[in-house]
Amino acid sequence: MFSCIARPAIHLSRSFSTSVQSNARVAVLGASGGIGQPLSLLLKNSPLVSQLSLFDIAHTPGVAADLSHIETRAHVTGHLGPDQLGECLKGCEVVVIPAGVPRKPGMTRDDLFTTNATIVANLADACARHCPEAMICVIANPVNSTIPITSEVLKKHGVYNPNRVFGVTTLDIVRANTFVAELKGLDPARVNVPVIGGHAGKTIIPLISQCTPKVDFPQDQLAALTSRIQEAGTEVVKAKAGAGSATLSMAYAGARFVFSLLDAMNGKEGVVECSFVRSEETECTYFSTPLLLGKNGIEKNLGLGKLSPFEEKLVAEAMSELKGSIKKGEDFVKNMK
């Protein structure tokens, strides 16, 4: 009796490809959490994913069973606890790590360090053992430290490839696009604001001068807009009043980055996303800039581009905090037993 009702097409704009089919095996580590569940849903909806392996320390079989009933081609498996982590990662080409504890009101991303640093280090260790050539996309905060942690763990195993380790900062770009569009009455899907630096507070540097289409703001409005982009995560934490941090928008941003990466791995040309990666573009050893993605990860770092004097000042002011966060991550791995 339902034969006359057409199934709705799943259409998500920007990098949410629905036209190309591939056979990518993708793992989500932390799949039962506030980011992991909606992220896994978005990945399950994509024809770019053929195998979706979900891991967490609780509830994963239920999440996997729920998602497995969705009428898309990706085969879903659920893996519970450390003993099943290796099986989850076996053969995976892309690993996404949203695992960790969320921020609560009054907490900075750095306050999460001790707990999330250990979680990310253990997961990176498992990746090094079971899928050493996978693209690793880290969402777990503080990204400014968890990317150096991931890199140092991979180095210990002799499998580190800087072109395959990404700190997912895409939510900063998504927010910048949205806020600029709101102020200018534009379609946010057609706005692109590069965001460079890091992924916390003043290390988040939106390059409004490089926005497409070109936009102009008075200095006071530009300063307020920049501050809002930098503190947008705190805006959500406060609005949720202790119930968590940005999860739905982060899941969207994480999926956008993964789909861009999969597109590039499939041979699509001209795929560009910003990400926090090993870098020689500034005096910081890790820095987020626009990256041209390719079959093997980073094909070319596109650098900072031409900055306005206001943006140059933001970069200078971010350096000290960014260097400290990077060192904190590297030192954590050095001191691991």
Side-chain angles (χ1 to χ4, degrees):
M1 63 181 285
F2 295 105
S3 59
C4 62
I5 302 175
R7 278 170 35 185
I10 299 167
H11 177 72
L12 296 165
S13 62
R14 285 196 186 272
S15 302
F16 285 69
S17 295
T18 55
S19 58
V20 179
Q21 185 167 301
S22 73
N23 294 305
R25 297 174 64 92
V26 179
V28 179
L29 309 185
S32 300
I35 297 168
Q37 288 200 44
L39 173 59
S40 298
L41 173 62
L42 291 170
L43 295 174
K44 171 72 171 113
N45 279 348
S46 173
L48 291 170
V49 180
S50 63
Q51 170 68 41
L52 186 60
S53 300
L54 308 181
F55 170 83
D56 215 318
I57 57 171
H59 312 304
T60 338
V63 174
D66 196 356
L67 288 175
S68 71
H69 293 181
I70 293 171
E71 54 189 351
T72 56
R73 67 188 284 263
H75 177 66
V76 183
T77 57
H79 307 267
L80 185 67
D83 292 344
Q84 297 182 16
L85 181 53
E87 185 62 29
C88 173
L89 292 171
K90 190 176 179 181
C92 284
E93 295 146 280
V94 176
V95 179
V96 196
I97 306 180
V101 296
R103 276 202 295 162
K104 294 181 179 178
M107 292 176 71
T108 66
R109 288 181 180 87
D110 203 48
D111 290 334
L112 306 174
F113 181 88
T114 303
T115 300
N116 287 1
T118 302
I119 292 170
V120 170
N122 289 338
L123 295 176
D125 182 84
C127 289
R129 295 173 190 274
H130 301 287
C131 55
E133 295 185 359
M135 307 287 181
I136 301 178
C137 308
V138 180
I139 292 172
N141 275 316
V143 166
N144 293 356
S145 297
T146 55
I147 283 300
I149 287 170
T150 301
S151 301
E152 292 302 312
V153 170
L154 296 176
K155 284 178 188 176
K156 280 191 169 185
H157 287 272
V159 295
Y160 176 56
N161 182 340
N163 294 327
R164 292 174 176 260
V165 180
F166 302 91
V168 181
T169 62
T170 315
L171 184 51
D172 298 326
I173 292 87
V174 167
R175 286 166 167 159
N177 294 344
T178 301
F179 300 164
V180 167
E182 286 173 351
L183 291 170
K184 292 297 184 181
L186 299 169
D187 176 358
R190 298 183 180 276
V191 175
N192 184 41
V193 180
V195 181
I196 64 169
H199 185 56
K202 69 181 182 181
T203 70
I204 299 169
I205 304 163
L207 302 183
I208 308 297
S209 72
Q210 295 182 25
C211 176
T212 52
K214 185 168 174 54
V215 293
D216 289 302
F217 294 98
Q219 185 57 39
D220 59 339
Q221 194 176 23
L222 176 62
L225 172 61
T226 298
S227 179
R228 188 185 177 202
I229 294 165
Q230 291 175 330
E231 297 302 327
T234 302
E235 187 179 307
V236 176
V237 169
K238 286 180 179 177
K240 288 194 173 182
S245 55
T247 53
L248 302 175
S249 53
M250 184 63 249
Y252 167 88
R256 170 183 150 169
F257 185 83
V258 171
F259 295 150
S260 288
L261 188 56
L262 290 173
D263 274 340
M265 291 167 68
N266 288 337
K268 183 176 178 180
E269 296 184 352
V271 179
V272 175
E273 289 282 359
C274 294
S275 181
F276 187 68
V277 298
R278 181 77 187 186
S279 175
E280 296 178 355
E281 299 299 318
T282 70
E283 61 197 74
C284 282
T285 50
Y286 296 85
F287 204 82
S288 182
T289 45
L291 308 169
L292 178 64
L293 302 175
K295 291 185 177 182
N296 297 305
I298 301 171
E299 193 165 291
K300 184 180 181 183
N301 192 319
L302 301 179
L304 285 69
K306 183 173 171 50
L307 306 183
S308 70
F310 176 68
E311 291 159 356
E312 287 178 347
K313 185 168 180 283
L314 293 176
V315 170
E317 289 173 348
M319 284 298 169
S320 176
E321 180 179 327
L322 202 45
K323 286 179 181 176
S325 296
I326 292 166
K327 186 176 187 300
K328 189 172 183 179
E330 291 174 339
D331 288 347
F332 177 82
V333 178
K334 286 177 185 172
N335 296 325
M336 279 176 64
K337 293 178 181 177

